[in-house]
Amino acid sequence: MMNEKTDAPKNIMAKIYTIIGFLIALSIGLLCINGIINDRMKYKDEAVQNVENTWGKAQTIGVGELKYFEKDKKDAITHSFNSTATITNAKAKVELKKKGIYEVPVYTVEIHQKGEFDINPAYKGAAEFKFKVSDPRGFIQKPVIKFNDKIINNCNSYKCSVVLNGEKQIPYEINYTIRGTKNLSFDAINTSETYLNTNYWVPEYTGDFSPVEHHEKDGGYYTFWSAPEAATTVDDKYNTLSYSANFINTVDIYRMTERCVKYGFLFIALTFLAFFVYEIINKQNKHIHPFQYSLVGVSMLVFYLLLLSISEFINFGISYLIAAIMTTSLISFYTYFVLTNKEDKKFPLMIGGILAVIYLYLYITVNLKELSLLTGSFGLFITIIIVMYATRNVEWYKENQ
């Protein structure tokens, strides 16, 4: 009897050390899965880059700029003016261009921009008018430019030679169509207003200014930005403020799966804990072999591979549900048919319930973003309470009979 009392804590500690060893090994497996996710992200980035090279990169639409050169002096002095008030109307047609298994949002946008320059009337003679686009390869037609109420023909794409005749204010108008990929940005210089109409939902707005208004309109989506001169004044002349509409979701399936993997160690540990508690409180004194622990752990690792591979083809939420049901069913049936030999229905049902709660909790947590730490902390606290309650009657230094 004395040997039983002495051996019992040793057996329990041996099982704990074994479980810890498996958790360490499975953590290496999680790192490998994280590497696979990074590889898939690289493949997607390569697909996006390939589309960009043939279609056009992400475009930044700038305002008109006027340069005047004082050539009557020994050293030419350049005076540069940006449009003091700019109104841009953009109509973007967005489509998904397929590259392999990846779909990349591309767009063709019609730009109608009006602006005005306030200059010194003493400036007379040759000058240069230009406007900015980040990737000129996206032009699909020659821009139509009207400067000082006259159409300018002597232009090289987005640069035009003009003549100043002592005007104090000079209006301009630009019309062109350009192609781009992923996102569309607009520079905010002096007073800027931008109206964007698209046929495609905008998942995310970024940049230095949030939209004043954005909603569905006429079967599409409407966005309005307004940036007054007081808000666009910056001391750094090399830093231009802007605002953007991102047509590609920056938090994609790979980021979501990566977030899930970060919680992988915790949820595998919780599942092992459930099996371990079952071992020490069940009256029939059934023991789970270390190899069976490893099978359960590997099954939970495969969940992340299932999630990653399925979500590349269908919605992430549905993919998560399918992967969670497959993993939960596998472990529950294995528990019923192998670990309990069909003698105990309650424990397999309990394991299935625990896994269902774990995967539901994980899905909620990774979608909460800023609140994920809070929900994770409370979840762990509740788990500790449950374990304390379940093991309240365990006599750790006495073998269960």
Side-chain angles (χ1 to χ4, degrees), residues 335-364:
T335 302
Y336 176 66
F337 287 104
V338 180
L339 300 187
T340 64
N341 293 319
K342 302 182 185 179
E343 297 175 2
D344 185 358
K345 294 182 179 179
K346 292 183 179 180
F347 181 63
L349 289 174
M350 184 186 74
I351 287 295
I354 290 173
L355 289 173
V357 170
I358 284 176
Y359 285 124
L360 176 61
Y361 176 70
L362 175 60
Y363 185 77
I364 293 173

Side-chain angles (χ1 to χ4, degrees), residues 105-126:
V106 299
Y107 57 83
T108 302
V109 59
E110 297 177 6
I111 300 294
H112 305 279
Q113 186 180 95
K114 292 182 179 181
E116 187 176 72
F117 296 105
D118 289 337
I119 62 174
N120 191 330
Y123 297 151
K124 297 180 180 180

Side-chain angles (χ1 to χ4, degrees), residues 196-385:
L196 173 64
N197 289 279
T198 69
N199 64 323
Y200 187 81
W201 171 62
V202 180
E204 184 181 38
Y205 296 100
T206 57
D208 299 296
F209 299 94
S210 297
V212 175
E213 186 180 352
H214 60 96
H215 54 77
E216 291 187 35
K217 181 179 180 181
D218 300 330
Y221 299 88
Y222 167 82
T223 308
F224 168 61
W225 290 272
S226 179
E229 183 179 5
T232 59
T233 303
V234 292
D235 294 331
D236 185 0
K237 65 179 181 179
Y238 299 104
N239 182 24
T240 301
L241 301 179
S242 64
Y243 35 80
S244 305
N246 293 334
F247 300 113
I248 189 169
N249 200 339
T250 53
V251 185
D252 57 11
I253 60 170
Y254 302 108
R255 299 293 183 191
M256 295 292 288
T257 307
E258 193 175 42
R259 287 179 183 176
C260 292
V261 171
K262 289 179 180 178
Y263 290 90
F265 177 86
L266 173 63
F267 291 118
I268 293 174
L270 289 176
T271 306
F272 279 6
L273 180 62
F275 281 102
F276 178 70
V277 170
Y278 168 75
E279 276 195 87
I280 62 177
I281 67 174
N282 82 87
K283 296 180 180 180
Q284 297 179 350
N285 200 27
K286 289 184 176 295
H287 295 290
I288 301 174
H289 194 274
F291 180 72
Q292 294 171 322
Y293 271 102
S294 68
L295 287 179
V296 172
V298 171
S299 299
M300 297 192 73
L301 284 184
V302 173
F303 162 78
Y304 299 102
L305 292 177
L306 288 170
L307 174 60
L308 177 63
S309 58
I310 298 173
S311 62
E312 287 187 326
F313 296 93
I314 59 177
N315 177 269
F316 180 83
I318 298 175
S319 302
Y320 188 97
L321 179 63
I322 294 173
I325 290 175
M326 291 175 66
T327 305
T328 301
S329 301
L330 174 63
I331 296 176
S332 299
F333 283 120
Y334 182 72
T335 302
Y336 176 66
F337 287 104
V338 180
L339 300 187
T340 64
N341 293 319
K342 302 182 185 179
E343 297 175 2
D344 185 358
K345 294 182 179 179
K346 292 183 179 180
F347 181 63
L349 289 174
M350 184 186 74
I351 287 295
I354 290 173
L355 289 173
V357 170
I358 284 176
Y359 285 124
L360 176 61
Y361 176 70
L362 175 60
Y363 185 77
I364 293 173
T365 301
V366 298
N367 279 279
L368 286 177
K369 299 179 183 178
E370 292 85 358
L371 297 177
S372 60
L373 178 60
L374 180 64
T375 56
S377 302
F378 273 94
L380 281 175
F381 184 76
I382 293 171
T383 301
I384 293 172
I385 293 175

Side-chain angles (χ1 to χ4, degrees), residues 8-20:
K10 290 182 179 179
N11 292 335
I12 291 175
M13 290 306 300
K15 181 58 67 70
I16 290 175
Y17 291 143
T18 301
I19 291 173
I20 292 173

